[in-house]
Amino acid sequence: MKILHVISGGETGGSRKHVITLLEQFDPSEVTLAVFQEGALSEEARAAGIGTVLFAQKSRYDLSVLSRLSAFIKKERFDIMHTHGPRANLFGIYIKKKTGICWVTTVHSDPALDFVKGGLKGTIFTKISLYAVRQMDHYFAVSERFKQNLVSLGIRPEKVTTVYNGIHFTEEPAKAAAIPVPEQAFVIAMVARLHPIKGHEIVFEALRRLDVKPHLLLIGDGPIEDELREKVKDIRDCVHFLGFRKDVASLYAASDVALLASYSESFPLALLEAANERIPLISTDVGGVGELIAEGETGWIIPPGDAEALAEAIRQAMKADVKQMGEALYEHAASNFSLDQLHKATKDVYTTLASR
């Protein structure tokens, strides 16, 4: 059985980590990764021993890559194509028609929101993206809630398998990184692309409502960085843009809580990584978050877009025994969200599909 995973290659967030950790669990002869650009993802994949092939584009609109990728699939006789992200999904429409390959996907975000703030072009791409999502042979949903989201788009329930994200949990937390904050400061780590769907502006508004302000680490890059930097000038002393970092575990270890403020997610891998570092979570009620966080015991769950609810959760966190909460979260996450379960469930679906 041979599986080709297809992703744009420019990802620096959760989908990058998901693909790398998943493919690492398979025998190298079973999986190959195809990317359209070099970047952190392809570098990490090759370093992990994952066969990685570049189908370079002159621009993201260069469609000549489709015939090359289709020819590669036929030559190597792949049984299944597994796409990740909107660009790979859009290209999958052509590749499926050209090769007839069995096509599956893991939906890492709400396809209706992938092109938010994209203007007319974004509206067009959203329609095409939603069309692509409906053409696939099978779907991996990383939470029960996300499965229902796919069903609401017209996908038959039997074509969707819920497979929780997983990571390798370590016996000891990472060594804390040096961070640009006062020694006794309360530190919140937010690992997220700088993208409208991630809710950074709501976080800024919540900080403005606090009399005693924590220090916020923004870990990640993205298309609205300049816009966010402009909007945070009045509280810039407590907001730190750290950009894309490879030492996320160490940054979590240096923090008191982890924050997710997204309007939509499937199952945030970043929260599992925070759990591994024994820090509690503050998260919007998205995706499978409710299956990870026990309210008031291992973290706080708030409605998306609610700055006051977020501010109150931060107030509570600043008074709580975050070390004890973090340990409780670690025990729960390590027992239920391992890489072993992710690998087994995914391979079972591949085996069933390949035998048809």
Side-chain angles (χ1 to χ4, degrees):
M1 181 172 62
K2 294 179 65 176
I3 316 298
L4 179 66
H5 284 251
V6 183
I7 191 168
S8 74
E11 291 78 6
T12 58
S15 58
R16 170 191 61 85
K17 188 71 173 180
H18 173 89
V19 171
I20 297 296
T21 53
L22 174 61
L23 268 58
E24 281 181 314
Q25 308 313 304
F26 285 83
D27 186 288
S29 65
E30 295 179 307
V31 294
T32 300
L33 179 65
V35 299
F36 304 122
Q37 64 189 83
E38 298 284 13
L41 191 153
S42 57
E43 290 177 8
E44 289 185 36
R46 293 190 180 100
I50 299 166
T52 304
V53 182
L54 172 66
F55 292 87
Q57 293 178 281
K58 296 177 181 178
S59 75
R60 65 175 54 226
Y61 305 110
D62 176 11
L63 301 182
S64 66
V65 69
L66 297 180
S67 58
R68 287 184 278 135
L69 185 52
S70 297
F72 178 70
I73 287 173
K74 291 179 179 179
K75 177 183 176 182
E76 297 297 324
R77 298 187 177 183
F78 287 101
D79 299 291
I80 295 170
M81 175 177 66
H82 190 150
T83 57
H84 303 265
R87 193 191 315 184
N89 290 344
L90 292 177
F91 289 176
I93 299 171
Y94 174 89
I95 295 168
K96 170 71 173 180
K97 292 180 179 179
K98 192 72 173 179
T99 66
I101 191 170
C102 179
W103 179 16
V104 305
T105 191
T106 300
V107 184
H108 296 277
S109 59
D110 186 340
L113 299 175
D114 281 334
F115 301 100
V116 169
K117 289 192 175 182
L120 178 59
K121 186 185 296 183
T123 300
I124 295 171
F125 279 132
T126 295
K127 291 181 179 180
I128 299 174
S129 181
L130 290 172
Y131 172 78
V133 167
R134 295 186 178 98
Q135 308 308 307
M136 299 165 186
D137 296 297
H138 203 83
Y139 307 79
F140 291 101
V142 293
S143 72
E144 280 299 315
R145 175 183 287 182
F146 214 71
K147 176 176 181 176
Q148 293 309 312
N149 188 22
L150 289 171
V151 171
S152 72
L153 293 176
I155 308 302
R156 297 201 309 273
E158 63 270 23
K159 294 179 68 175
V160 186
T161 300
T162 300
V163 180
Y164 295 114
N165 262 336
I167 65 169
H168 172 64
F169 286 90
T170 58
E171 293 185 3
E172 297 293 334
K175 180 180 179 181
I179 54 176
V181 304
E183 187 174 344
Q184 299 302 318
F186 189 89
V187 180
I188 299 174
M190 182 176 178
V191 177
R193 288 179 297 129
L194 304 183
H195 184 281
I197 201 172
K198 298 298 183 179
H200 291 86
E201 292 185 34
I202 294 297
V203 179
F204 300 159
E205 179 56 33
L207 292 181
R208 293 185 181 100
R209 299 182 183 210
L210 297 172
D211 294 328
V212 178
K213 297 188 185 340
H215 281 255
L216 173 67
L217 308 181
L218 298 181
I219 304 157
D221 53 19
I224 62 169
E225 179 173 350
D226 291 341
E227 178 183 334
L228 292 178
R229 285 183 178 275
E230 184 67 26
K231 291 184 176 181
V232 81
K233 283 184 175 180
D234 59 319
I235 51 172
R236 59 188 173 190
D237 289 345
C238 64
V239 178
H240 309 273
F241 288 82
L242 302 187
F244 170 71
R245 297 283 292 260
K246 293 185 177 180
D247 59 341
V248 170
S250 294
L251 291 168
Y252 274 141
S255 304
D256 295 289
V257 298
L259 170 63
L260 182 87
S262 300
Y263 289 96
S264 175
E265 291 281 355
S266 48
F267 192 99
L269 202 60
L271 295 188
L272 291 181
E273 293 174 334
N276 189 46
E277 303 310 321
R278 286 76 165 170
I279 62 173
L281 313 172
I282 299 173
S283 176
T284 46
D285 188 10
V286 294
V289 164
E291 296 157 57
L292 176 63
I293 300 173
E295 177 68 33
E297 297 178 14
T298 58
W300 296 265
I301 301 177
I302 59 172
D306 191 332
E308 181 51 40
L310 175 54
E312 180 56 29
I314 294 173
R315 292 187 191 102
Q316 293 182 27
M318 294 176 75
K319 298 175 183 178
D321 185 346
V322 292
K323 291 189 179 299
Q324 181 179 348
M325 294 178 72
E327 288 294 338
L329 174 65
Y330 170 80
E331 293 298 330
H332 171 67
S335 299
N336 293 279
F337 302 96
S338 69
L339 277 176
D340 287 342
Q341 62 83 25
L342 172 63
H343 171 239
K344 183 181 184 304
T346 303
K347 188 165 185 176
D348 286 349
V349 172
Y350 287 162
T351 302
T352 299
L353 292 173
S355 64
R356 289 178 180 174

